Amino acid sequence: MEKLTKGEVKKVAELSRLNIEEKELEYYAEELSSVLEYARQLDELDTSSVEPMTQAVNLQTVLRDDIQEESNTNIRARAVEVLMRAVPFKHNGFAKVKSVFKDRN
Amino acid sequence: MTVKEIIKKLKEKEISSAELVEHYLGRIKEADGEIKSYLSLNEEARKEALSADEKLSARGDSPLFGIPYAVKDNILAKDLPATAGSRMLENYTAAYESTVVKNLRGEGSIILGKTNMDEFAMGSSTENSAFGPTKNPVDTARVPGGSSGGSAAAVAAGLAPWALGSDTGGSIRQPAAFCGVVGFKPTYGAVSRHGLIAMASSLDQIGPLTRTVEDAKIVFPYLLGRDKMDATSLEIEEQGNIKNPKNLKIGIVKEFLGEGLDERIKNKTMEALDVYKSLGAEVKEISLPRASYGLAVYYIIMPSEVSSNLARYDGIRYGKHIAEDFTGDLLDGYIEVRGAGLGKETKRRIMLGTHTLSSGYYDAYYLKAQKVRSMIAEDFAEAFKEVDVIVSPTTPGLPFKFGEKTDNPISMYLSDVYTVSANLVGLPAISIPVGTVSEDGKDLPVGLQLMSPHKKDYELLDIAGLYEKEVS
């Protein structure tokens, strides 16, 4: 197993939406490589005929009848109020966030 | 005081709920300055206790009515903080109630406060909490274990009769072993995860930390139930018949007694098995040939799920947010906030998971790990054809000192080497205290882990209870 390069760590950090400073790249390269190295022991096992296990308990799909449920406007209004209390910046009852698109002018 | 003793005292009017809450708040004031097991206290606890005393007639047959408890800070209780031990959620207040807290509130239980933990439940020592570590009440120079270190320390120090924790790879059982209390991780799905701040969704499970197995059995039924808010939740039926120990077959895991295990812990494990033998149980060595790969599987699957679950911390929806005068665009904002709000271990695991799920690596890591996970499940299924319960030490080592393992993640990860398999396979597992080992003039607790087949939670509690009854 190749050790992760600083460039690869930079790429992973970018994908993870994490701000990793230049001086920390080496540290994370070491740390991540050591865990990946540890995980390589799984290569000792032949898994060619094994199905992957995606859940621990044999779960069933949960279904309900396709009937519209009573929507309680009071409960909804209260939920909105509670959630909006957690929003730091508001404008006319909307949550205000940074723009997604750059201004073209 | 145990929950059982408290129930008796409340029933016989020896003590009121208000006096109980006062007692624990007093204990917290006295001892928690040093131990630091709580991150926040419930300001309403006294009021809720007074109201419980007034409504005693409403108690009905609810044994937990008016009894206080502590809650790990990644489980939501409406209007109380829920930080998950992270700066990211430092100012977050829960907007709704987790199902498990709702159930307990319905029973008349009272929350004393929220307990400290490793950030987002990632760690085995509570040293990864953004708000500073919790100390082990047995020896304050040592860690309480983790990630439910605050809950374990609070119960051990008598700062709560019992507490809720969460267990993804051993986070209830390992701190229980380190602090000398009982820690129970039920079958995956037994307790609803609605309102649990997610770490690794296919592994996470809420469970109780208590002073005795008997107490775990008292509180367990009130945590359970199918929940329409959690499609992975399931019914656990009470088996309710204590097995005659003479017919009990116990399997001790050969692979968990080898390299890396502290000899003194091995001796304590064998002494505990002697107690079962003296009751007439049959003890035999079993092999889980692929369980030793459990930790490697865990350290691929868990970070993969973490990287996905923690994508929600974007600086917009809750917790730490992008400052209003921030001049970058939205993407710069995400990166800025996550960089500042998440700790080292959290970042490490997010990046690890992002890498193992990325194109070109998915098959080599994630898919491979899921296949070995199947093999480990097969090993357990085979073993359970021969024995009723599988036993091992809970941890390979004694509670360690602060800073001892912080520079070497792999050595920290090895604390969970015996506990992760139960999460990977979804089995119920419990850690019970089985004596102490003397070191540096302190008697350090040792835990024994017992594991049962899926949904045999009550049976597991009964089997663990046999030991407790015999030695107390």
Side-chain angles (χ1 to χ4, degrees):
Chain A
M1 179 68 203
E2 294 289 295
K3 194 170 138 333
L4 284 184
T5 62
K6 284 208 277 190
E8 282 172 313
V9 175
K10 218 176 177 139
K11 175 81 183 130
V12 171
E14 203 176 297
L15 289 171
S16 309
R17 301 289 185 257
L18 288 169
N19 180 12
I20 303 293
E21 291 185 19
E22 196 65 34
K23 61 176 192 290
E24 289 183 317
L25 289 174
E26 186 58 42
Y27 163 82
Y28 281 110
E30 286 289 335
E31 300 274 293
L32 298 181
S33 300
S34 74
V35 180
L36 293 170
E37 184 57 43
Y38 180 78
R40 296 311 300 190
Q41 63 180 264
L42 299 182
D43 292 345
E44 297 164 13
L45 295 169
D46 175 11
T47 51
S48 51
S49 60
V50 185
E51 282 296 306
M53 175 173 170
T54 50
Q55 50 169 46
V57 181
N58 196 9
L59 298 166
Q60 305 297 318
T61 305
V62 180
L63 300 169
R64 69 173 173 88
D65 291 334
D66 188 11
I67 300 166
Q68 186 183 342
E69 289 188 340
E70 200 71 33
S71 101
N72 185 327
T73 44
N74 279 342
I75 291 181
R76 282 184 60 115
R78 260 209 309 276
V80 168
E81 188 203 335
V82 167
L83 291 170
M84 284 306 286
R85 270 208 300 262
V87 173
F89 311 114
K90 301 180 190 78
H91 182 76
N92 293 343
F94 291 97
K96 207 166 116 185
V97 298
K98 293 282 159 195
S99 60
V100 180
F101 302 108
K102 296 258 191 309
D103 196 343
R104 287 169 178 238
N105 302 327
Chain B
M1 281 184 285
T2 62
V3 174
K4 192 186 175 191
E5 285 164 353
I6 291 172
I7 291 171
K8 190 166 172 283
K9 285 188 168 154
L10 279 173
K11 258 207 171 97
E12 292 172 358
K13 299 235 179 345
E14 251 181 80
I15 193 167
S16 70
S17 185
E19 285 167 333
L20 259 179
V21 165
E22 212 50 61
H23 162 81
Y24 284 105
L25 291 175
R27 283 283 302 136
I28 291 166
K29 204 170 172 176
E30 202 178 303
D32 213 37
E34 186 180 21
I35 294 171
K36 297 194 164 58
S37 60
Y38 284 90
L39 287 175
S40 59
L41 294 177
N42 175 15
E43 308 278 335
E44 301 293 312
R46 284 189 177 90
K47 216 191 304 178
E48 287 172 28
L50 285 170
S51 140
D53 286 330
E54 281 166 20
K55 285 195 284 206
L56 264 185
S57 55
R59 178 166 59 189
D61 54 4
S62 177
L64 300 181
F65 195 90
I67 297 180
Y69 72 111
V71 180
K72 187 177 179 176
D73 212 23
N74 59 348
I75 299 170
L76 304 191
K78 196 172 179 316
D79 300 330
L80 293 181
T83 67
S86 179
R87 291 267 169 233
M88 196 59 134
L89 292 173
E90 192 168 4
N91 301 313
Y92 177 72
T93 300
Y96 65 97
E97 199 96 285
S98 58
T99 299
V100 67
V101 166
K102 196 172 171 178
N103 290 351
L104 288 161
R105 208 183 283 277
E107 294 299 321
S109 287
I110 297 159
I111 295 175
L112 285 165
K114 306 294 297 291
T115 57
N116 197 17
M117 57 186 284
D118 284 299
E119 184 177 23
F120 290 112
M122 299 184 202
S124 309
S125 66
T126 315
E127 290 169 290
N128 294 334
S129 167
F131 309 105
T134 295
K135 290 175 179 165
N136 191 323
V138 181
D139 176 358
T140 50
R142 293 172 191 266
V143 303
S147 63
S148 314
S151 283
V155 174
L159 311 182
W162 73 280
L164 282 176
S166 70
D167 189 313
T168 307
S171 282
I172 288 174
R173 291 159 286 154
Q174 187 255 16
F178 275 12
C179 293
V181 297
V182 171
F184 176 38
K185 180 202 88 72
T187 297
Y188 177 79
V191 182
S192 168
R193 289 180 295 113
H194 176 63
L196 169 68
I197 296 175
M199 173 189 167
S201 308
S202 82
L203 306 164
D204 292 343
Q205 183 54 199
I206 293 172
L209 291 107
T210 53
R211 296 182 80 85
T212 62
V213 176
E214 201 172 15
D215 280 1
K217 201 174 170 177
I218 291 171
V219 302
F220 180 54
Y222 301 100
L223 315 181
L224 294 175
R226 277 277 302 126
D227 178 17
K228 71 176 185 2
M229 302 303 278
D230 174 6
T232 60
S233 65
L234 40 83
E235 284 297 340
I236 300 287
E237 283 170 17
E238 185 151 7
Q239 289 92 38
N241 54 335
I242 287 208
K243 285 199 165 233
N244 178 348
K246 290 194 171 45
N247 304 330
L248 191 62
K249 290 199 182 88
I250 299 176
I252 173 87
V253 188
K254 188 173 72 180
E255 287 80 4
F256 291 175
L257 294 174
E259 197 192 341
L261 174 62
D262 186 317
E263 202 59 31
R264 297 165 296 177
I265 292 181
K266 185 175 176 176
N267 293 340
K268 285 282 155 203
T269 307
M270 293 307 167
E271 283 171 27
L273 286 171
D274 286 342
V275 171
Y276 279 104
K277 280 185 196 163
S278 74
L279 292 168
E282 182 192 339
V283 175
K284 59 169 161 185
E285 200 171 72
I286 55 149
S287 174
L288 299 171
R290 287 152 316 182
S292 49
Y293 293 96
L295 203 64
V297 170
Y298 178 77
Y299 273 95
I300 299 297
I301 290 172
M302 175 272 296
S304 300
E305 295 187 18
V306 160
S307 71
S308 161
N309 272 326
L310 270 66
R312 73 193 62 180
Y313 302 108
D314 55 6
I316 291 170
R317 283 173 291 178
Y318 23 50
K320 205 173 166 60
H321 49 254
I322 302 166
E324 191 154 32
D325 55 9
F326 182 74
T327 51
D329 63 12
L330 191 64
L331 177 60
D332 296 335
Y334 291 156
I335 290 172
E336 178 66 31
V337 159
R338 288 165 65 81
L342 301 171
K344 263 199 172 123
E345 179 65 21
T346 305
K347 287 181 191 168
R348 196 159 41 211
R349 294 192 195 191
I350 291 174
M351 287 198 282
L352 195 57
T354 303
H355 180 72
T356 52
L357 290 180
S358 60
S359 170
Y361 294 101
Y362 175 90
D363 284 10
Y365 289 113
Y366 187 72
L367 192 64
K368 180 87 189 177
Q370 292 285 43
K371 287 180 168 185
V372 179
R373 190 180 186 181
S374 294
M375 291 172 145
I376 294 170
E378 277 169 27
D379 283 354
F380 274 95
E382 280 306 306
F384 280 127
K385 285 179 186 165
E386 300 197 21
V387 294
D388 303 301
V389 67
I390 293 175
V391 167
S392 77
T394 307
T395 60
L398 293 166
F400 42 91
K401 294 189 170 150
F402 288 97
E404 204 176 300
K405 295 183 194 280
T406 37
D407 294 337
N408 181 349
I410 298 272
S411 87
M412 181 75 86
Y413 296 171
L414 280 166
S415 308
D416 292 333
V417 67
Y418 305 140
T419 46
V420 290
S421 295
N423 300 82
L424 291 170
V425 186
L427 306 171
I430 191 168
S431 176
I432 59 171
V434 289
T436 57
V437 166
S438 221
E439 195 172 272
D440 301 343
K442 302 274 183 185
D443 293 332
L444 304 174
V446 174
L448 177 80
Q449 175 178 237
L450 299 95
M451 296 176 268
S452 282
H454 285 147
K455 301 190 187 180
K456 298 273 191 199
D457 300 60
Y458 282 99
E459 203 171 89
L460 178 66
L461 289 165
D462 283 347
I463 295 168
L466 289 171
Y467 173 89
E468 184 172 272
K469 274 199 213 58
E470 190 58 24
V471 298
S472 60

